[in-house]
Amino acid sequence: MSLRFALLALLSSGAMTGYDVSKHFSQSVAHVWHAPDSQIYPELRRMSVEGLLEVETVKWGARGEKKEYHVTDAGFEALRAWVNTPIEVRRQRDPAFLKAAYLEWADAESVREEMRTQIRFHQSLLDLLEHTRATLLDRTHPTLVRRLARIPSADHDRIVAWKVFAYDGLIAQARLQIEWARRGLELVETFDSAGLAPLEDPPYASTPSP
Amino acid sequence: MSLRFALLALLSSGAMTGYDVSKHFSQSVAHVWHAPDSQIYPELRRMSVEGLLEVETVKWGARGEKKEYHVTDAGFEALRAWVNTPIEVRRQRDPAFLKAAYLEWADAESVREEMRTQIRFHQSLLDLLEHTRATLLDRTHPTLVRRLARIPSADHDRIVAWKVFAYDGLIAQARLQIEWARRGLELVETFDSAGLAPLEDPPYASTPSP
DNA sequence: TTTGACATGTAATGAGTTACATGATTTC
DNA sequence: GAAATCATGTAACTCATTACATGTCAAA
């Protein structure tokens, strides 16, 4: 259900074709809610069927066509209803933490590789998030530019502030993950230098116990 | 796919019936990978079909029956293969951050309610995580007790350390979310006291722009 | 004999992933 | 004429959610 509101929120910045949605999406909303094209196009269609969006078919070149999606009044209403209802709280489901809890089964080198992978991933995510945050603050972010152009300037500060707030949260999380993985890297050394081998064999046979 | 390894990891502490799995699950693995019973039972069956688990049917009372699941050698191998392969990195998908980025559409009171809900949720999660962490450290956690009983004591420290490490990550995340929501609470006051109303109407009509 | 814990699921639906499939237009 | 980008999806599958469904056993 969230994808629908992610798209509604994106399209509230101005009408776009499916292709533009997919491009803007990856540079903005995707940082908080990732989705592939194969999920975006069908959802846009569904939303227009349900009256949240209006489709305008636009000629493109000689034979080409594209669809431009506009948020309808019902769409804006749905968007406002969504932001004004308390969130559905979801419990965490992160494979990194799941795996971390059972690393006694891993050998030291795999743990190191795992932690390094984590650090690399979250570091490059962090770079991206910080860069995006900067383009929000200086108001050069393409989706933000479109958005602000249609809105009285009295509201600009607040719009930017909430987006920066969201990115601050994401940035803090990424930093945390990096720090955490670094501590994992330290931890594995203490065991490895103590000469502890991983649990290589089942601690009990696969025979049933009565 | 992760559910499978969550179950394998849990059952690596000793054989259990489906019911016991479901009970232990909610007190341990669920903190890193939540799943309802309706997902657990069928997955256990599938895993036994695929040879990762062995089922022993145990009589229970006069008419009752229960199934005890044992990790097979193939199961342990799969578990070890999983912890020794670098993780599939997944991009974030958190409705809280998604919503935060578009709070210019919300009215002040809804934002307050939202942030308070977030704080309440993560505070009670934090309490649970800290309590669980303590039972790991003093080694009274029921699943951990079962696990350690079957393993040479030389390995105990390391087993506990990785689990505590995982909980440390979760605890840090929960704290972060609370702090973040508190800053959201401050932010909404600055706008509300400035007398800014939410964007109550679409900033542009639903008419197509050429 | 009633309550609470024990025990095991199914069925329907929705959300998300992966891989594939196709063609037009613009720019070099 | 080739390459990049614009444009729009489908199909098959897996995973997760929600709601329901049913019965046993032990203890008070």
Side-chain angles (χ1 to χ4, degrees), chain B residues 142-190:
Chain B
T143 316
L144 183 68
V145 168
R146 284 172 56 96
R147 186 180 297 277
L148 297 184
R150 300 174 169 266
I151 290 184
S153 54
D155 290 316
H156 289 193
D157 282 359
R158 189 172 35 146
I159 289 172
V160 172
W162 284 124
K163 297 189 194 332
V164 170
F165 170 66
Y167 276 85
D168 283 345
L170 295 171
I171 286 167
Q173 269 199 348
R175 283 195 219 279
L176 196 76
Q177 295 277 330
I178 293 169
E179 262 183 72
W180 182 67
R182 289 216 179 106
R183 289 207 294 114
L185 228 31
E186 283 166 28
L187 200 53
V188 74
E189 294 317 323
T190 68

Side-chain angles (χ1 to χ4, degrees), chain A residues 2-3 5-6 9-15 28-36 39 54 56 68-73 76 79-80 82-107 110-111 113-115 117-118 121-122 125 147 150-152 154-155 157-159 161-163 165-170 172-174 176-177 180-181 183-185 187-188 191 196-210, chain B residues 2-3 5-6 9-15 28-36 39 54 56 68-73 76 79-80 82-107 110-111 113-115 117-118 121-122 125 147 150-152 154-155 157-159 161-163 165-170 172-174 176-177 180-181 183-185 187-188 191 196-210:
Chain A
S2 287
L3 173 60
F5 297 109
L10 177 58
L11 282 164
S12 72
S13 72
S28 58
V29 212
H31 299 144
V32 286
W33 196 272
H34 169 260
Q39 215 186 344
E54 199 191 313
E56 191 199 359
E68 200 173 45
Y69 292 96
H70 304 249
V71 179
T72 63
D73 290 345
F76 278 107
L79 178 58
R80 250 176 278 114
W82 172 67
V83 288
N84 285 317
T85 1
I87 222 155
E88 357 77 88
V89 242
R90 305 203 165 235
R91 256 156 308 183
Q92 184 140 51
R93 205 175 263 152
D94 189 329
F97 289 103
L98 170 59
K99 197 167 159 180
Y102 299 97
L103 282 177
E104 71 260 23
W105 294 97
D107 50 67
S110 295
V111 177
E113 191 44 42
E114 173 72 35
M115 296 300 159
T117 305
Q118 292 280 321
F121 173 77
H122 287 287
L125 181 63
R147 186 180 297 277
R150 300 171 169 266
I151 289 184
D155 290 317
D157 282 0
R158 190 173 32 148
I159 290 173
W162 283 123
K163 296 187 196 332
F165 170 66
Y167 276 84
D168 284 344
L170 295 170
Q173 269 200 348
L176 197 76
Q177 296 276 329
W180 182 68
R183 288 206 295 115
L185 228 30
L187 201 52
V188 73
F191 298 130
L196 278 172
L199 306 180
E200 290 212 346
D201 292 293
Y204 61 94
S206 60
T207 53
S209 59
Chain B
S2 288
L3 173 60
F5 297 109
L10 177 58
L11 282 163
S12 73
S13 72
S28 59
V29 214
H31 298 144
V32 286
W33 196 273
H34 169 259
Q39 216 186 343
E54 199 191 313
E56 191 199 358
E68 200 174 44
Y69 292 96
H70 303 250
V71 179
T72 63
D73 291 344
F76 278 107
L79 177 59
R80 250 177 278 115
W82 172 67
V83 289
N84 284 317
T85 0
I87 221 154
E88 357 77 88
V89 241
R90 306 205 164 231
R91 258 157 307 182
Q92 182 141 53
R93 207 174 262 151
D94 189 329
F97 288 103
L98 170 59
K99 197 166 159 182
Y102 298 97
L103 283 176
E104 70 261 24
W105 294 98
D107 50 69
S110 295
V111 176
E113 192 44 42
E114 173 71 35
M115 297 300 159
T117 306
Q118 292 280 321
F121 173 77
H122 286 288
L125 181 63
R147 186 180 297 277
R150 300 174 169 266
I151 290 184
D155 290 316
D157 282 359
R158 189 172 35 146
I159 289 172
W162 284 124
K163 297 189 194 332
F165 170 66
Y167 276 85
D168 283 345
L170 295 171
Q173 269 199 348
L176 196 76
Q177 295 277 330
W180 182 67
R183 289 207 294 114
L185 228 31
L187 200 53
V188 74
F191 299 130
L196 278 172
L199 306 181
E200 289 213 347
D201 293 294
Y204 61 94
S206 62
T207 53
S209 60

